[in-house]
């Protein structure tokens, strides 16, 4: 596929993103005319102030959250698949999600094990965000420390999987000593949610997203070199240890912040990079990176629209919807045994 066709595909993705954003702002439990939705976005007063409040204070932040989470997780998946040269690597392969889950589990269910030291007075949206962030941070520091001492990338991958297993085991122990209310609170968090953030929280998430994107952009040339193997990358003057640290930090910021603010969201980071490769027919990260960002945002917005069940007051867990979308794609890849160039 020539360069002009690839740029056309990116433009089509961008146009599709705009349409999906409008669709996500239009659909919901309350039916609001599209004209009033557009007026609200551009600051034009409308007759129904309640509609304007719903668009500006609920639907728009939720759509922006979906864009940031979807694009961030998808890019994290692309980075991990390239670093490990493994088509089944995802943004949480280093144990970041498990670390966040452990932080929240200690906060929510810790009182069952520590005799009430962690009481319900500590439970709040911000405390859960902080606990998840600290959990991801601790895992990231452990992985970074290991990355400095381990030269083999596959060994690092195995260590990440072992860290995830270890944290999951600790969560299971905490769950065993917890009561029904604590378990329910933790399970609700594990479902994931895009609609609980206010504008300040969306702004903080956006800052984390921007830092991760900038680090990724600086790694584009090195990522392309890694596709041909570590020996080739060394011959091109790429510092493998430095490049690996930058990729891990970028992934940790993107995936860790997404988990902290929205809970664990599965399969988006794993499935979207494969979909994009099928669309743009290239492994050049100069094309893949923006394409994955846009496609990830589109997929997450579509999943959010489905989860909202337009016209209904019910909302499905976003983690369940993304799994229903992503799992068949992964199964399809395994069944076909499609050879992906790395």
């Amino acid at each position: 596929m020539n360069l002009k066709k690839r740029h056309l595909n990116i433009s089509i993705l961008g146009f599709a993103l705009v349409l999906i954003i409008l669709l996500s702002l239009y659909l919901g439990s309350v039916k609001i005319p599209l004209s009033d939705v557009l007026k609200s976005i551009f600051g034009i007063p409308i007759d129904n102030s309640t509609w304007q409040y719903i668009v500006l204070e609920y639907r728009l932040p939720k759509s922006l959250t979906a864009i940031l989470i979807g694009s961030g997780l998808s890019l994290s998946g692309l980075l991990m698949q390239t670093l490990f040269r493994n088509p089944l690597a995802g943004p949480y392969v280093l144990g970041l999600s498990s670390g966040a889950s452990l932080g929240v589990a200690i906060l929510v269910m810790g009182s069952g094990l520590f005799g009430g030291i962690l009481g319900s007075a500590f439970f709040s949206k911000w405390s859960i965000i902080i606990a998840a962030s600290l959990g991801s941070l601790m895992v990231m520091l452990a992985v970074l420390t290991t990355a400095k001492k381990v030269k083999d990338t596959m060994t690092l991958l195995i260590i990440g999987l072992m860290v995830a297993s270890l944290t999951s085991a600790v969560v299971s122990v905490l769950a065993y000593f917890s009561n029904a209310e604590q378990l329910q609170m933790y399970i609700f968090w594990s479902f994931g949610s895009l609609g609980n953030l206010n504008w300040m929280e969306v702004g903080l998430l956006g800052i984390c997203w921007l830092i991760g994107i900038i680090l990724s952009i600086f790694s584009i040339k090195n990522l392309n070199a890694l596709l041909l193997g570590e020996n080739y990358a060394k011959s091109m003057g790429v510092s493998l240890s430095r490049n690996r640290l930058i990729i891990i930090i970028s992934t940790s910021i993107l995936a860790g912040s997404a988990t902290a603010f929205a809970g664990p969201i599965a399969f988006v980071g794993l499935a979207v990079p494969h979909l994009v490769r099928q669309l743009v027919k290239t492994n050049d990260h100069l094309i893949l990176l923006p394409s994955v960002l846009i496609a990830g945002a589109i997929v997450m917005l579509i999943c959010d629209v489905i989860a909202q069940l337009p016209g209904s007051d019910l909302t499905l867990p976003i983690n369940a919807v993304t799994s229903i979308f992503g799992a068949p794609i992964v199964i399809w890849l395994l069944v076909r045994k499609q050879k992906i160039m790395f």
Side-chain angles (χ1 to χ4, degrees):
M1 186 181 294
N2 57 43
L3 188 61
K4 184 177 180 181
K5 186 68 176 294
R6 291 169 184 167
H7 288 164
L8 177 61
N9 286 333
I10 295 177
S11 300
I12 293 174
L13 283 174
F15 181 71
L17 176 60
V18 174
L19 292 180
I20 297 299
I21 291 174
L22 291 176
L23 184 65
S24 69
L25 294 174
Y26 172 66
L27 296 176
S29 58
V30 178
K31 187 175 181 180
I32 303 175
L34 182 59
S35 59
D36 288 338
V37 171
L38 294 174
K39 288 179 181 179
S40 299
I41 295 174
F42 291 106
I44 302 174
I46 60 176
D47 295 335
N48 194 322
S49 59
T50 302
W51 288 354
Q52 192 162 31
Y53 179 84
I54 291 173
V55 172
L56 295 180
E57 300 299 328
Y58 179 72
R59 291 187 183 179
L60 187 56
K62 184 160 69 77
S63 295
L64 290 177
T65 301
I67 292 171
L68 295 174
I69 297 294
S71 58
L73 289 178
S74 299
L75 179 57
S76 299
L78 176 65
L79 295 176
M80 290 295 95
Q81 289 170 13
T82 301
L83 176 64
F84 295 115
R85 302 181 68 215
N86 188 333
L88 296 179
Y92 298 136
V93 73
L94 296 178
L96 298 173
S97 177
S98 298
S101 299
L102 177 60
V104 174
I106 292 175
L107 175 70
V108 175
M109 301 186 294
S111 58
L113 184 62
F114 301 117
I117 295 177
L118 301 175
S120 60
F122 292 95
F123 297 158
S124 68
K125 183 168 64 174
W126 273 108
S127 65
I128 289 178
I129 291 175
I130 293 173
S133 300
L134 289 175
S136 291
L137 178 62
M138 295 303 294
V139 172
M140 182 189 75
L141 293 177
V143 172
L144 289 176
T145 302
T146 305
K148 291 181 179 179
K149 298 180 179 180
V150 175
K151 295 182 179 181
D152 185 9
T153 303
M154 292 307 299
T155 302
L156 181 62
L157 173 61
I158 295 172
I159 291 174
L161 294 175
M162 293 303 101
V163 170
S165 298
L166 177 62
T167 54
S168 297
V170 177
V171 171
S172 298
V173 172
L174 291 173
Y176 180 80
F177 288 98
S178 301
N179 57 43
E181 182 181 356
Q182 292 168 335
L183 280 173
Q184 185 182 48
M185 185 179 297
Y186 177 77
I187 290 173
F188 281 163
W189 175 81
S190 68
F191 286 160
S193 176
L194 300 175
N196 293 331
L197 302 187
N198 57 36
W199 280 109
M200 182 178 69
E201 292 159 351
V202 172
L204 290 174
L205 176 61
I207 292 173
C208 296
W209 179 87
L210 184 61
I211 294 173
I213 296 298
I214 291 174
L215 289 174
S216 302
I217 292 174
F218 285 128
S219 302
I220 288 179
K221 182 178 179 181
N222 295 337
L223 288 169
N224 285 336
L226 283 174
L227 291 175
L228 299 176
E230 294 186 353
N231 292 331
Y232 176 80
K234 286 181 181 179
S235 68
M236 294 293 292
V238 176
S239 174
L240 294 180
S241 58
R242 179 175 176 271
N243 186 62
R244 187 165 57 181
L245 286 176
I246 292 176
I247 293 175
I248 291 174
I249 292 174
S250 176
T251 300
S252 300
I253 293 173
L254 291 171
S257 61
T259 305
F261 282 94
I265 297 177
F267 283 108
V268 172
L270 177 60
V272 170
H274 295 301
L275 291 176
V276 171
R277 288 190 186 95
Q278 295 301 308
L279 176 65
V280 300
K281 305 295 183 182
T282 182
N283 279 321
D284 184 359
H285 285 77
L286 189 62
I287 303 296
L288 280 177
L289 194 147
S291 300
V292 164
L293 288 175
I294 299 172
I298 291 173
V299 169
M300 185 58 72
L301 283 169
I302 292 174
C303 291
D304 181 51
V305 170
I306 296 172
Q308 182 60 45
L309 295 176
S312 171
D313 293 333
L314 299 176
T315 302
L316 297 175
I318 188 65
N319 198 13
V321 176
T322 56
S323 297
I324 292 172
F325 175 84
I329 296 176
V330 177
I331 294 172
W332 174 72
L333 289 170
L334 290 172
V335 171
R336 285 192 56 183
K337 295 182 179 180
Q338 183 174 346
K339 295 181 179 180
I340 303 173
M341 295 177 59
F342 283 101

